[in-house]
Amino acid sequence: MNRRRFLGLGASVLGAGALAAVTVPAAARLLAEGRPGRLLSSDLALPEPFQVPLPVPAVLQPVRTDGTTDYYEITQQVAKLEILPGVRTEAWTYGGTFPGPTVVTRSGRAAVVKHRNELPVATVVHLHGGHTPADSDGYPIDLLLPVGSSGAGADQGMSGMPGMQHATGNTVTGERTHTYPGNQRAATLWYHDHRMGFTGPAIWRGLAGFHLVHDDEENALPLPKGERDLPLMLADRAFAADGSFHYPATDAALAVPGVTDDYMNGVLGDVILVNGAPWPRLDVDRARYRLRVLNASNARLYRLELDPQPSGGDALVQIGSDGGLLAAPVTHDALEIAPAERFDLVVDFSRYAPGTSVRLVNRFGSGRTAEVMRFDVSSRQVSDDSTVPDKLSAVEALDASAAVATRHFRFRRSRDDGWTINDDPYQPGRDLARPALGSIERWRFSTDLHHPVHVHLNPFQVLTRNGRDPGPYDAGWKDTVDLWPAEVAEVLVRFTDYRGTYLLHCHNLEHEDMAMMADFTVQ
């Protein structure tokens, strides 16, 4: 999209005043690359790609179970990890690893996860995509203070948020228990830090992990399973000369939120990590693999392709989205994935000759960031009884005529270089919507620049994009919709099961930390 077309769309789609908050030079600079963010370069030599085997996060075992519930414990702790070969990096971790351990649960069974904070900072845990009671959702000022903390400074950093007034959440010290009832279908979820003003640096330093939900419907399908069902967490990072994570925080001590001015539209790293490893490789059988792809980057948008493409194209068979299985598979030659989105893909490596090296590339990257990982196709003979059925799931289509309200949410940059929804920076306790439990509403999201929009509590279905049909990556139940500059999307949301206050926000983490969030309360 060129600058002239962007400004034209901005006036016609959003109204003549919609772009007033973004100066023309700033808009031109931000759109010159066509994507959000600014590259932060590492200060040490980077390894050659495809040297490190792909790690797979360990599955967390419950500490106990009963007839209805599985109980887990996770300690948030500092750990020295070898992320770049031969280099030690201090990370903030769940359980001592990055990514954290994978929590695997089953629909219909509750999961109770107790977090213990042994980090030097307060944290908040959010299960992204979780259908969760409000007191376990991870409201951004419900702080978990470090073990041994006196409780002083519970509002650390909040006064520095643009437009913020003093606010107090449900703060506890040492440990907090989150209850996830499991009242949702099979899906690829993830958990991450959500402390107000500091989500970006906390996830950048390692606070992220997978949470997979299974159910009977999914298990009955002949999809790839076991070692051929792989979670892939994509995350770009930059490294300082001493091997530490390099991040352009306004305050190195992370007591005051925000990044330096050059990076307010998002931080992009020059190292692409998959499951915490730089540009890894994986030996694969000539068989189908299920790849659960998560974009856990702060701001980077990827356009993923296989290189070479298999004969006949349709290399990536999408079987699921943020909220679980699609009704039927959708084929792609390339896939665009924004921060926080998940795509469940099946790739058939039997379409390649034995010995072929297949790169997963990022067409939105350049130089080293154009490479993601490599699959090396084995020459050995293997059996594979997996298939991708023409019908995957009975997905209910929400009825637009049943919507009882239409609400508008405008995602814009403010004149004072913050980020706003409906022209206001985030303030806890101020609702932008109060939907009724059990109701369906139509929510309309519009943007000035690029914003991946995330809604807590319930997934939604994309109804229209720019007044037309949904886009090629909008199928199924979503909890994050990717909007390019001057786009408009309408979604249908049904609010079920839980009353309380939840969040709507941009999942560009630098935008989120600089106040592009809003509360809504289900009544």
Side-chain angles (χ1 to χ4, degrees), residues 27-292:
R29 177 177 62 80
L30 293 173
L31 289 174
E33 301 173 353
R35 291 172 295 281
R38 182 181 179 90
L39 185 68
L40 179 66
S41 296
S42 296
D43 295 328
L44 74 176
L46 300 180
E48 291 298 313
F50 319 134
Q51 304 301 305
V52 180
L54 175 76
V56 178
V59 172
L60 185 66
Q61 298 302 311
V63 295
R64 64 186 179 92
T65 64
D66 59 31
T68 62
T69 306
D70 300 315
Y71 298 84
Y72 300 88
E73 295 180 357
I74 295 175
T75 298
Q76 303 169 13
Q77 61 195 81
V78 175
K80 289 278 192 177
L81 305 178
E82 185 173 324
I83 297 174
L84 302 180
V87 177
R88 305 295 287 181
T89 299
E90 182 175 287
W92 294 351
T93 73
Y94 295 118
T97 64
F98 171 62
T102 299
V103 179
V104 178
T105 63
R106 190 162 189 83
S107 179
R109 279 188 66 82
V112 174
V113 183
K114 182 169 70 175
H115 280 265
R116 177 179 173 86
N117 183 3
E118 296 183 359
L119 294 169
V121 297
T123 61
V124 174
V125 179
H126 171 55
L127 178 57
H128 186 118
H131 185 54
T132 305
D135 60 1
S136 289
D137 185 61
Y139 192 63
I141 58 173
D142 287 351
L143 303 180
L144 174 59
L145 302 180
V147 171
S149 172
S150 66
D155 61 345
Q156 179 188 17
M158 291 183 192
S159 60
M161 288 287 288
M164 275 296 301
Q165 298 175 2
H166 180 76
T168 302
N170 177 18
T171 295
V172 298
T173 300
E175 296 179 346
R176 166 168 270 141
T177 297
H178 296 258
T179 299
Y180 307 125
N183 186 20
Q184 63 186 107
R185 64 205 295 261
T188 300
L189 316 180
W190 63 303
Y191 61 102
H192 61 76
D193 191 72
H194 212 300
R195 178 166 66 114
M196 193 173 75
F198 300 95
T199 300
I203 294 179
W204 189 271
R205 291 189 181 200
L207 290 178
F210 280 100
H211 183 123
L212 308 182
V213 181
H214 297 296
D215 64 14
D216 292 341
E217 179 186 49
E218 176 196 61
N219 287 354
L221 296 174
L223 298 171
K225 294 180 173 63
E227 293 183 352
R228 295 177 187 164
D229 181 352
L230 292 170
L232 301 178
M233 179 185 288
L234 311 187
D236 59 335
R237 297 290 185 266
F239 294 84
D242 63 359
S244 63
F245 286 122
H246 189 20
Y247 185 80
T250 301
D251 173 23
L254 298 184
V256 177
V259 291
T260 57
D261 289 348
D262 285 347
Y263 294 93
M264 67 164 295
N265 196 34
V267 183
L268 309 179
D270 60 354
V271 178
I272 304 298
L273 305 177
V274 185
N275 292 349
W279 302 288
R281 58 175 173 78
L282 177 68
D283 293 331
V284 294
D285 297 326
R286 297 187 68 240
R288 294 178 186 84
Y289 281 73
R290 179 176 181 172
L291 307 179
R292 301 171 182 261

Side-chain angles (χ1 to χ4, degrees), residues 29 114 125 325 383 490 511:
R29 177 177 62 80
K114 182 169 70 175
V125 179
L325 292 171
S383 62
E490 291 186 325
H511 294 186

